[in-house]
């Protein structure tokens, strides 16, 4: 079977991907809403993609090591249930949460990671920025510096959490951590690479590339109903 066949309806058309742009929000309410959505969804629930810019926060993965949080200052550190180590979220960064029924999509976790990475690589290419993978360190890198971090969780065959894509955010808080658990890892942002600094300029292309990689049809949905599965 074609790996996208399960993500198409009986007419062969891609199934919808409901896209909700949540604007700027605190981290924890969105995290808990993702958990609730995943727990409540059923076999017929459409997949969703939530886009958000978070208030400044460090998030630590479920197996995260405290030694990678060096000096957080007054930025809160939240222990969460995704994979990976500590990372930073803040204004000027696109955080995208693809909540995908992996069984229906015919995807394994490794392939989902590959497709998310490829969507970001293809988005960067629109601005002639060469993104690349790094063996053993999920995410996307430009000249060895990380521009997109990735941490997922799968529950009941469905994904949540997602990616953090640096567009124009202040990179200074990364000095307070070992990003993604790698001492001395440098981070970068599109603004410093000749791309835009406004996430609004990047979101439509990122959504399009994610839809293409996942074999789904992105359709806007109202942000105010993001708590409803």
């Amino acid at each position: 079977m074609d790996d996208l066949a399960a993500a198409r309806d009986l007419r062969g058309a891609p199934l919808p991907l409901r896209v909700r742009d949540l604007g700027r929000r605190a981290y924890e309410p969105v995290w808990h809403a993702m958990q609730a959505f995943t727990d409540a969804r059923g076999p017929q629930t459409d997949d969703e993609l939530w886009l958000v810019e978070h208030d400044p926060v460090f998030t630590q993965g479920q197996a995260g090591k405290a030694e990678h949080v060096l000096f957080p200052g007054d930025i809160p550190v939240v222990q969460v249930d995704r994979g990976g180590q500590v990372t930073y979220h803040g204004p000027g960064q696109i955080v995208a949460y693809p909540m995908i029924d992996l069984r229906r999509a015919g995807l394994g976790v490794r392939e989902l990671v590959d497709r998310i990475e490829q969507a970001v690589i293809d988005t960067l290419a629109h601005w002639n920025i060469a993104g690349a993978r790094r063996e053993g360190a999920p995410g996307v890198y430009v000249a060895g510096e990380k521009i997109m971090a990735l941490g997922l969780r799968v529950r009941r065959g469905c994904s949540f959490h997602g990616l953090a894509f640096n567009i124009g955010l202040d990179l200074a808080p990364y000095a307070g951590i070992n990003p993604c658990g790698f001492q001395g890892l440098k981070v970068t942002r599109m603004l410093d690479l000749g791309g835009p600094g406004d996430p609004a300029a990047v979101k439509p292309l990122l959504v399009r590339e994610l839809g293409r990689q996942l074999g789904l049809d992105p359709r806007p949905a109202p942000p105010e109903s993001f708590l409803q599965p």
Side-chain angles (χ1 to χ4, degrees):
M1 178 184 292
D2 180 86
D3 62 0
L4 298 181
R8 297 179 180 274
D9 66 18
L10 294 176
R11 299 163 302 186
L15 291 175
L17 177 66
R18 304 292 178 187
V19 180
R20 304 187 193 276
D21 191 334
L22 307 182
R24 179 170 169 175
R25 297 188 186 240
Y27 180 83
E28 292 192 64
V30 178
W31 169 34
H32 293 312
M34 280 192 291
Q35 293 175 314
F37 176 89
T38 302
D39 288 342
R41 67 180 300 173
Q44 304 305 316
T45 303
D46 288 340
D47 293 327
E48 299 211 358
L49 175 67
W50 296 357
L51 305 172
V52 63
E53 292 181 59
H54 284 306
D55 297 337
V57 63
F58 294 114
T59 64
Q60 176 77 289
Q62 57 186 350
K65 298 179 179 178
E67 68 226 44
H68 295 306
V69 181
L70 306 176
F71 42 92
D74 58 0
I75 299 174
V77 180
V78 179
Q79 188 83 32
V80 298
D81 56 349
R82 61 162 172 80
Q85 298 286 330
V86 66
T87 194
Y88 171 69
H89 302 308
Q93 178 190 70
I94 299 174
V95 178
Y97 296 125
M99 285 170 283
I100 309 299
D101 184 329
L102 298 182
R103 288 172 290 195
R104 185 170 63 200
L107 295 174
V109 177
R110 180 65 255 178
E111 188 170 7
L112 176 62
V113 169
D114 288 345
R115 288 175 183 250
I116 291 172
E117 290 172 340
Q118 191 61 50
V120 172
I121 289 168
D122 292 344
T123 300
L124 289 167
H126 285 277
W127 284 276
N128 298 311
I129 299 169
R133 296 179 174 89
R134 177 173 165 179
E135 186 66 31
V140 174
Y141 301 78
V142 178
E145 299 182 351
K146 196 161 196 174
I147 194 167
M148 187 276 281
L150 179 61
L152 297 170
R153 174 75 185 270
V154 175
R155 181 186 293 171
R156 300 169 59 240
C158 299
S159 68
F160 61 109
H161 290 287
L163 67 98
F165 188 8
N166 296 343
I167 310 301
L169 82 166
D170 179 8
L171 299 178
Y174 283 101
I177 61 173
N178 290 327
C180 304
F182 291 95
Q183 185 175 3
L185 177 65
K186 293 183 178 180
V187 295
T188 190
R189 58 184 183 172
M190 286 193 72
L191 182 62
D192 293 338
L193 299 168
D198 184 353
V202 181
K203 286 178 188 177
L205 285 167
L206 178 63
V207 168
R208 186 179 76 186
E209 296 297 346
L210 283 168
R212 187 170 67 86
Q213 286 294 325
L214 297 171
L216 298 170
D217 178 19
R219 302 178 188 178
E224 62 269 17
S225 61
F226 79 101
L227 287 169
Q228 302 300 320

